[in-house]
Amino acid sequence: MSNTEFPDDELRQEQEFIDGLYARVDVLRGDAEAGVTDALAQGHTPRQARLERDILVAERSGLLAALNAVDGSLCFGRIDLASGGTHHIGRIGLRADDAERTPVLIDWRARVARPFYLATGHTTMGLRRRRHIATEGRRVTALHDEILDLGDETRTGHEDPTGDAVLLAALDSARTGRMGDIVRTIQADQDRIIRAPHRGVMVVEGGPGTGKTAVALHRAAFLLYEHRELLARRAVLIVGPNPAFLGYIGEVLPSLGETGVLLATVGELYPGVKTTRTDTPEAAAVKGAARMADVLADVVRDRQVLPDPVIAIEHDREILMLDDGLVNVARERTRAAKLPHNVAREHFEGHILNALTDMVAERIGTDPYDGSNLLDPSDITQIRDELAENPEVWSAIDRLWPRITPERLIADFLAAPEGHLPEEDAAAIRRPVTRHWTVSDVPLLDEAAELLGEDDRLARGRAERERQTRIAYAQGVLDVSYASRTFEFEDKEDDDPDSSEVLSAHDIIDAERFAERHEEDDHRSAAERAAADRTWAFGHIIVDEAQELSPMAWRLLMRRSPTRSMTLVGDPAQTSEAGGVGSWADILTPYVEDRWEHTRLGVNYRTPAEIMDVAAAVVRAEHPGFEPPGSVRSTGVRPWARATDDLPGAAAKAVAELTPAEGRLAVIAPRELHRSLAARLDGVTAGAEPDLTHDVVLLDPRQAKGLEFDSVLVVEPGRYGTSDLYVALTRATQRLGVLHTEPLPKPLAEALG
């Protein structure tokens, strides 16, 4: 590059450093690609070599993913130490090729990088200067220096007097429809949460725009860095409120070099079911209530029935009578084992077979003179084996203690909930038998799976048959090998040493071990395996919009976190779901009592003061003591409201007025208005899952949770509840407009003037 491209030496020096970093990255990328290619080319080698190959492929693939994700935004800062020397800070760490493996770029999560986020002029943490480096692709475009040691008179010409230039530039930048990481602008209060110890439950509460979602995601990246071995093996689960939200945050962790995390909604946490369908608020509240756990337990018990009054079984030209008394004894003994229904069935089968065996033995083996039994144990065993081959016996057992799938149990229950719920609640959830599940059904399916368990005898039998097939095939291969060796040496003299010293496959391995070596290995990542396993125990779980989850949804999540290692993010003031718990104590007390930590973020980085004042007034009308997070900036642009008789037409004009030159606009409206609005908005579709990368998107208030846009148009706010209206009003980073044909809520009208 020519000298004229840089106005001073500081920019030139930083550019030369960045160029050196990317030269190193390009070498690493080439090495990783070659390593993956070479490892895969090895093919099916013996087990140990194949395991080593798979480890190499995983490591190099992970490195490639990290390098590709951060390409173009590798380094963003530098700290100059008062003792001399500097450290450059970036999204991942890089080392030199020297013998000491000297760090040349410090991972933002490393302890040595922490002063970049925490140091102040009052507490310098050993720093002389902090530098923010702005880049476009691989090109350095600007530097912002903060002087921390006020006694240092050295100046570079890039000093930022307030230290806020980088933060404000990030807040004012146009939105892209995807959340960006905040690694360059993490604030001190956020850093303390991100780096909090990996133990127990941490609740991060914060109003709109406080960055709680970004903090939670960066905490996930930090925990994966600090506890790589544990969490890479057990995986981290991030639960979001809807698919649009997960798409919105989906690029944050990859940009920080982390790709092994499972992102899911509650509707995706039961393997085999993936749903975005929602119930009516009334049905969701009934299904989400804590009492449903007891209701479903009763539903399962009701499937363990008694004869009415007897079941007649023909066996060996005799009729055996299973009456309710005999079956009730078997049922109570089985229940006493406190096993899940399907697992307990094996015990029930044993009790019934024993009872029938005693019945037959008494009939055919009783001495008519003294009443003694003439049968020996082998006779009793034979009778039991014969009964176990009688289809009528198994037909009776299936009626009395049927095998049930969670899907069948819940479908049947929802088709006829009477007898288990009050009539009003039963009417709210009643529906024909269907496999079109809703999000509120998923915790019920999970609860049913827990109550039922899985009778894996059939699966174990199938696996054993497959194993025996593999062994038989391996034996055939060995036999062919032995036959070939025999043919090769059959013409040799008896004293030929080759005929006795050459080993065949038969001499060094048997068929069973040979078959094991060729079993298929599971090459899925921990996150992929976790997604397919309902019983998976995650190393850490992060829940966004946690206040919205129902008690039944919390039961599902707690099963997936037996260590109770969780970060919960939310704002009770934004609770809108009918089944939402809202109170952190109500959520956590049943599981961890008072052993949880609560912290609050109180600074609003997203919403300008002019908009936040309006939103806060709406909530204060219902909750006079409400205190919103304080906004860090003001735009000077007041929100506006317009009445209209032509809502779709007025919306089209307002969208044209509000749409920024760069960035995104959201139209937030009640779902019933979407079709008419979409008809007048170019490129907008009603009913489909919104694509947040479009210039204009159409959402209802609950779809907008956790999202942000440059401009927002709120339509018919009089139809929203207070929580939904608060959410809708606080999504904008720049401008807010309101359209209505119906009267505005009084506090909103007063706040808008």
Side-chain angles (χ1 to χ4, degrees):
M1 296 184 181
S2 66
N3 291 342
T4 57
E5 294 186 62
F6 297 101
D8 56 44
D9 288 340
E10 293 289 333
L11 276 169
R12 181 182 300 107
Q13 290 169 7
E14 292 296 359
Q15 184 64 60
E16 290 173 353
F17 176 79
I18 296 291
D19 289 341
L21 284 181
Y22 281 109
R24 175 70 178 143
V25 165
D26 291 339
V27 170
L28 287 172
R29 182 180 288 115
D31 289 346
E33 290 173 345
V36 170
T37 301
D38 292 345
L40 292 176
Q42 294 177 18
H44 290 284
T45 55
R47 177 177 289 271
Q48 185 59 39
R50 190 163 72 245
L51 178 60
E52 292 174 358
R53 176 205 66 188
D54 293 342
I55 291 173
L56 176 62
V57 169
E59 289 177 346
R60 297 298 173 86
S61 297
L63 176 60
L64 277 174
L67 292 175
N68 292 336
V70 302
D71 195 13
S73 56
L74 189 59
C75 176
F76 55 81
R78 190 181 92 182
I79 50 179
D80 296 355
L81 307 180
S83 59
T86 63
H87 294 308
H88 280 84
I89 313 299
R91 284 174 169 78
I92 59 175
L94 292 175
R95 294 180 178 271
D97 283 328
D98 55 28
E100 291 78 21
R101 301 285 292 157
T102 305
V104 292
L105 183 66
I106 304 297
D107 191 300
W108 68 276
R109 297 166 287 190
R111 287 179 175 84
V112 71
R114 199 170 191 193
F116 182 79
Y117 300 107
L118 297 184
T120 65
H122 182 266
T123 306
T124 64
M125 300 180 71
L127 298 192
R128 179 174 60 87
R129 179 190 307 269
R130 172 169 46 218
R131 167 170 289 178
H132 295 270
I133 303 171
T135 59
E136 290 182 3
R138 299 188 177 192
R139 179 178 174 80
V140 177
T141 58
L143 305 177
H144 299 275
D145 287 346
E146 296 177 62
I147 305 300
L148 299 175
D149 180 0
L150 299 181
D152 183 355
E153 298 181 357
T154 304
R155 296 293 182 266
T156 65
H158 296 281
E159 281 73 27
D160 172 13
T162 66
D164 293 332
V166 175
L167 174 62
L168 293 176
L171 298 179
D172 286 331
S173 63
R175 271 42 191 172
T176 65
R178 293 288 182 263
M179 176 182 279
D181 65 65
I182 60 168
V183 68
R184 297 173 64 235
T185 59
I186 293 172
Q187 303 300 294
D189 59 338
Q190 298 171 332
D191 184 83
R192 282 188 285 272
I193 296 170
I194 290 169
R195 298 175 191 266
H198 173 238
R199 62 173 183 266
V201 177
M202 170 174 280
V203 174
V204 182
E205 183 178 328
T210 53
K212 54 188 180 295
T213 297
V215 166
L217 294 172
H218 287 67
R219 176 163 168 76
F222 174 76
L223 292 176
L224 283 163
Y225 175 83
E226 283 282 289
H227 308 280
R228 175 74 60 191
E229 184 176 350
L230 169 65
L231 296 183
R233 184 174 68 252
R234 299 308 310 163
V236 172
L237 170 65
I238 297 178
V239 180
N242 54 60
F245 176 83
L246 294 181
Y248 175 65
I249 68 172
E251 295 178 4
V252 174
L253 285 168
S255 76
L256 301 174
E258 299 297 346
T259 57
V261 176
L262 177 62
L263 280 73
T265 65
V266 171
E268 298 170 321
L269 288 178
Y270 185 84
V273 172
K274 185 175 182 178
T275 182
T276 59
R277 292 171 178 260
T278 57
D279 283 297
T280 64
E282 296 77 14
V286 173
K287 292 180 181 181
R291 62 175 173 165
M292 287 302 298
D294 293 332
V295 169
L296 292 181
D298 289 340
V299 171
V300 172
R301 289 173 65 88
D302 285 352
R303 302 297 289 268
Q304 302 161 1
V305 301
L306 299 176
D308 185 20
V310 298
I311 296 177
I313 297 173
E314 183 177 352
H315 180 72
D316 197 19
R317 290 175 294 187
E318 296 274 351
I319 300 298
L320 306 177
M321 307 297 286
L322 275 178
D323 60 35
D324 56 356
L326 185 151
V327 173
N328 189 52
V329 170
R331 183 175 71 171
E332 293 309 310
R333 288 178 177 174
T334 301
R335 286 176 172 174
K338 299 187 181 302
L339 295 171
H341 173 89
N342 288 333
V343 178
R345 175 180 157 120
E346 184 174 2
H347 293 257
F348 183 76
E349 294 169 359
H351 290 309
I352 294 297
L353 284 171
N354 289 341
L356 292 173
T357 299
D358 291 344
M359 201 179 297
V360 173
E362 183 177 356
R363 288 188 184 183
I364 67 174
T366 302
D367 189 312
Y369 297 104
D370 60 11
S372 63
N373 197 300
L374 304 177
L375 303 179
D376 60 29
S378 64
D379 296 326
I380 300 297
T381 299
Q382 182 178 349
I383 292 171
R384 196 179 192 281
D385 290 345
E386 291 172 351
L387 283 165
E389 295 177 359
N390 187 335
E392 291 193 25
V393 172
W394 294 107
S395 176
I397 291 173
D398 286 340
R399 289 167 57 188
L400 300 170
W401 198 288
R403 290 189 181 91
I404 316 170
T405 66
E407 292 82 357
R408 172 51 58 187
L409 184 81
I410 299 303
D412 290 347
F413 166 66
L414 294 177
E418 301 82 3
H420 295 284
L421 292 170
E423 177 52 38
E424 183 179 356
D425 292 343
I429 67 170
R430 187 186 299 115
R431 71 173 188 229
V433 173
T434 177
R435 290 299 175 88
H436 292 156
W437 304 108
T438 68
V439 173
S440 301
D441 292 334
V442 169
L444 302 186
L445 289 167
D446 195 73
E447 187 74 25
E450 198 73 10
L451 291 167
L452 295 172
E454 183 178 355
D455 185 350
D456 64 351
R457 285 177 293 168
L458 294 176
R460 283 189 279 117
R462 183 167 56 252
E464 178 60 24
R465 288 192 297 274
E466 292 173 354
R467 176 175 171 273
Q468 292 300 327
T469 299
R470 289 195 301 271
I471 292 174
Y473 175 79
Q475 186 64 57
V477 172
L478 293 175
D479 290 344
V480 170
S481 171
Y482 180 75
S484 299
R485 175 179 178 272
T486 302
F487 178 78
E488 180 180 350
F489 292 107
E490 66 182 358
D491 293 332
K492 293 185 179 290
E493 298 295 335
D494 291 342
D495 60 350
D496 188 336
D498 288 343
S499 64
S500 60
E501 297 298 327
V502 176
L503 296 176
S504 72
H506 266 285
D507 298 316
I508 59 177
I509 192 169
D510 59 24
E512 185 169 354
R513 291 186 179 180
F514 188 55
E516 288 177 354
R517 286 191 175 186
H518 288 79
E519 290 179 12
E520 289 298 322
D521 294 325
D522 190 344
H523 300 297
R524 295 174 299 171
S525 68
E528 291 169 331
R529 285 182 282 122
D533 184 355
R534 192 193 68 82
T535 62
W536 189 273
F538 288 91
H540 193 77
I541 295 179
I542 292 174
V543 185
D544 206 311
E545 302 295 346
Q547 78 281 349
E548 300 289 0
L549 297 190
S550 69
M552 290 300 292
W554 281 112
R555 288 177 65 86
L556 177 155
L557 287 177
M558 291 297 176
R559 291 188 193 105
R560 285 151 176 77
S561 181
T563 61
R564 303 295 189 259
S565 178
M566 309 178 85
T567 301
L568 311 182
V569 180
D571 179 14
Q574 298 183 62
T575 304
S576 57
E577 293 294 335
V581 177
S583 162
W584 302 121
D586 289 345
I587 292 171
L588 295 172
T589 298
Y591 303 102
V592 297
E593 297 180 346
D594 60 351
R595 299 186 303 276
W596 51 281
E597 181 180 353
H598 178 273
T599 186
R600 182 173 178 83
L601 294 169
V603 178
N604 187 332
Y605 298 101
R606 174 205 302 147
T607 316
E610 293 84 357
I611 296 176
M612 200 63 212
D613 289 345
V614 172
V618 170
V619 180
R620 283 200 189 100
E622 190 170 310
H623 304 285
F626 173 72
E627 285 297 329
S631 298
V632 299
R633 64 196 176 100
S634 173
T635 61
V637 180
R638 290 281 300 167
W640 52 258
R642 295 173 188 163
T644 180
D645 293 329
D646 176 16
L647 199 58
K653 293 178 181 178
V655 165
E657 175 185 334
L658 286 170
T659 300
E662 295 181 355
R664 302 292 181 270
L665 179 144
V667 178
I668 302 178
R671 184 63 65 93
E672 63 269 18
L673 299 178
H674 282 199
R675 189 174 299 278
S676 62
L677 291 171
R680 299 291 296 273
L681 301 177
D682 293 340
V684 174
T685 303
E689 196 64 36
D691 183 346
L692 300 178
T693 63
H694 287 179
D695 292 341
V696 180
V697 295
L698 180 60
L699 307 166
D700 65 37
R702 298 186 186 189
Q703 287 177 309
K705 276 184 177 291
L707 307 181
E708 62 182 21
F709 305 88
D710 298 273
S711 300
V712 170
L713 178 65
V714 177
V715 178
E716 293 294 18
R719 301 189 188 184
Y720 303 167
T722 299
S723 294
D724 283 344
L725 182 54
Y726 183 53
V727 169
L729 294 173
T730 54
R731 299 304 98 191
T733 66
Q734 301 293 337
R735 295 185 293 174
L736 171 69
V738 176
L739 281 182
H740 61 102
T741 61
E742 303 168 3
L744 291 176
K746 183 178 179 181
L748 178 60
E750 292 175 350
L752 290 171

